[in-house]
Amino acid sequence: MTAPAAPESLAAVFRRLIANTGPISLMHYMGEANARYYASRDPLGSGGDFITAPEISQMFGELIGLWLADMWNNAGRPEPVHYVELGPGRGTLASDALRVAKRFGLEPQVHLVESSPELKHLQLTSLPQAQWHHDLSTVPQTGAILLVANEFLDALPVRHLVKTAQGWRERMVVPEGERFMCIAGDRPMDAAVPEERREAEPGTIIETCPGAAAVIDEVAGRLASQGGAALFIDYGYDKVRDGSTLQAVRAHQKVDPFLNPGEADLTALVDFATLVPVAQARGCRWLGTVPQGRWLQSLGIDARAATLAKAAPEQAEAIESARHRLVSSEQMGDLFKVMGLAAPNWPDGAGFQPG
Ligand code: SAH
């Protein structure tokens, strides 16, 4: 018997595709690269490529569970109710959140939207009661929805538009030696740039994420018609800005996004400001977009850390360092934002009040 052939590298696939049919868009490049990346490994944790808030501390998922239970309670404890998570990774956030929610009598049906077979396998172990979905379309259309997405939107492919002497063009990808590089496409793309941003210096880049807008559009429509609330947590910005934020991370280091596609996690900052009117256009309420540190502190992370440390004094130092990592402005506290959405007749939700 011969060993099964190793899958052809994505770089080789891209080279052949480009040779046959011409440059591919950056959006296509990033989408395919991440599909390959997530399908083949568990990227999380110290032995992996990056670490996320729920993997840093159980407090993160617990406070999210508390927030959801409080919302559901104040909305009159509707049934049926569904917990929906987009891109649940190892299932850690869901396990922590559902454990806390149960203490408040909230025991929702669990729906996980996951494209990676490898991660689905891990989620199966931690959440055997869950149902899996390839996308939101198969999640039940009746019953309130409590939805969470942590570091999900940042993995969706971005489109880059670049200003050239001939006008706006899409950034396309071609091979260059070992790596790939971006060039301006030939097709005019001026119509895709908002009018007030069209006048710009040559070389200006505008980054958009049509996939993120599509997810928000669908979630907001579901919340408006089914009732419920959603939390989107990601690193991103809430004021309009120019420029590329594309980056690649491998083994906890930034690497070249144009070398070895499919071998590193490609992400871009989330443009939260653009997503708000998308949600509102579907009749959904925007509760606010606030820094993660402030949100966790208003939900009581300091007190929770103190309780945990008292129960396990030998871990007090580790608990404090995890708390600090989640909330401090030099670490995740300011760069990460929490955006809350809710059905029109649902309550305001803790942590989004100005202050
Ligand atoms: N939320 C987890 C994991 C973040 S990594 C945590 O905080 O630890 C990104 C997650 O989104 C992974 O589970 C990945 O497989 C999933 N994902 C990425 N793109 C996706 C897509 N287009 N559809 C569904 N899931 C996707």
Side-chain angles (χ1 to χ4, degrees):
M1 286 231 324
T2 51
E8 190 180 23
S9 77
L10 189 59
V13 175
F14 279 155
R15 279 172 205 282
R16 199 172 54 246
L17 181 68
I18 295 166
N20 287 335
T21 59
I24 55 173
S25 69
L26 177 69
M27 190 156 74
H28 181 114
Y29 176 91
M30 181 174 173
E32 294 280 326
N34 274 354
R36 169 75 72 107
Y37 175 75
Y38 282 109
S40 54
R41 75 201 78 210
D42 167 17
L44 295 154
S46 54
D49 291 325
F50 58 94
I51 186 161
T52 56
E55 302 297 334
I56 291 172
S57 167
Q58 68 187 76
M59 295 185 285
F60 187 77
E62 288 174 346
L63 292 170
I64 288 174
L66 189 65
W67 189 89
L68 297 174
D70 180 56
M71 284 298 271
W72 175 74
N73 194 43
N74 292 338
R77 304 170 81 91
E79 296 279 358
V81 58
H82 307 281
Y83 174 88
V84 182
E85 190 172 335
L86 309 181
R90 289 178 170 173
T92 309
L93 194 168
S95 305
D96 293 334
L98 292 166
R99 187 179 61 247
V100 167
K102 193 172 172 187
R103 282 192 228 139
F104 294 87
L106 170 59
E107 291 187 71
Q109 294 173 35
V110 179
H111 300 274
L112 305 178
V113 177
E114 176 59 71
S115 55
S116 155
E118 177 78 18
L119 288 172
K120 181 176 163 184
H121 191 70
L122 280 177
Q123 294 154 15
L124 201 65
T125 321
S126 51
L127 299 154
Q129 78 277 37
Q131 294 175 48
W132 275 267
H133 303 268
H134 196 72
D135 55 43
L136 271 169
S137 64
T138 51
V139 170
Q141 306 270 350
T142 53
I145 286 190
L146 300 171
L147 181 140
V148 180
N150 185 59
E151 292 213 42
F152 172 75
L153 297 175
D154 70 331
L156 301 181
V158 290
R159 174 154 92 173
H160 279 181
L161 299 166
V162 58
K163 182 77 186 278
T164 70
Q166 290 76 41
W168 290 92
R169 297 286 191 263
E170 181 159 8
R171 285 183 94 200
M172 311 294 285
V173 174
V174 292
E176 186 214 33
E178 279 288 281
R179 59 195 290 281
F180 291 85
M181 65 176 283
C182 283
I183 58 165
D186 343 304
R187 261 199 288 151
M189 293 296 285
D190 301 71
V193 178
E195 220 164 348
E196 66 281 7
R197 296 180 74 183
R198 278 188 205 155
E199 282 302 316
E201 292 293 309
T204 303
I205 289 173
I206 291 183
E207 186 173 82
T208 65
C209 187
V215 167
I216 297 295
D217 178 78
E218 181 159 9
V219 169
R222 293 295 200 102
L223 295 180
S225 68
Q226 293 177 234
L231 293 172
F232 287 90
I233 306 150
D234 237 305
Y235 69 144
Y237 51 95
D238 51 13
K239 300 214 166 48
V240 173
R241 57 169 281 175
D242 291 335
S244 168
T245 71
L246 179 70
Q247 65 164 39
V249 169
R250 189 173 186 180
H252 304 271
Q253 304 287 324
K254 282 193 185 180
V255 295
D256 180 353
F258 294 104
L259 193 63
N260 303 325
E263 298 298 320
D265 180 42
L266 297 186
T267 62
L269 296 185
V270 173
D271 172 3
F272 282 106
T274 303
L275 300 176
V276 173
V278 173
Q280 289 169 330
R282 296 299 303 266
C284 183
R285 222 148 51 86
W286 170 54
L287 304 177
T289 305
V290 300
Q292 171 177 299
R294 204 182 95 196
W295 192 79
L296 291 172
Q297 284 184 310
S298 67
L299 283 161
I301 193 171
D302 297 343
R304 180 71 186 133
T307 309
L308 287 175
K310 211 165 155 201
E314 71 291 352
Q315 286 179 35
E317 217 170 293
I319 293 164
E320 170 50 23
S321 112
R323 188 203 64 82
H324 185 258
R325 192 157 168 195
L326 294 175
V327 305
S328 87
S329 51
E330 311 89 73
Q331 304 229 15
M332 298 175 79
D334 272 343
L335 186 56
F336 278 74
K337 311 271 188 295
V338 183
M339 179 171 81
L341 301 177
N345 53 349
W346 272 53
D348 286 345
F352 290 106
Q353 288 66 32

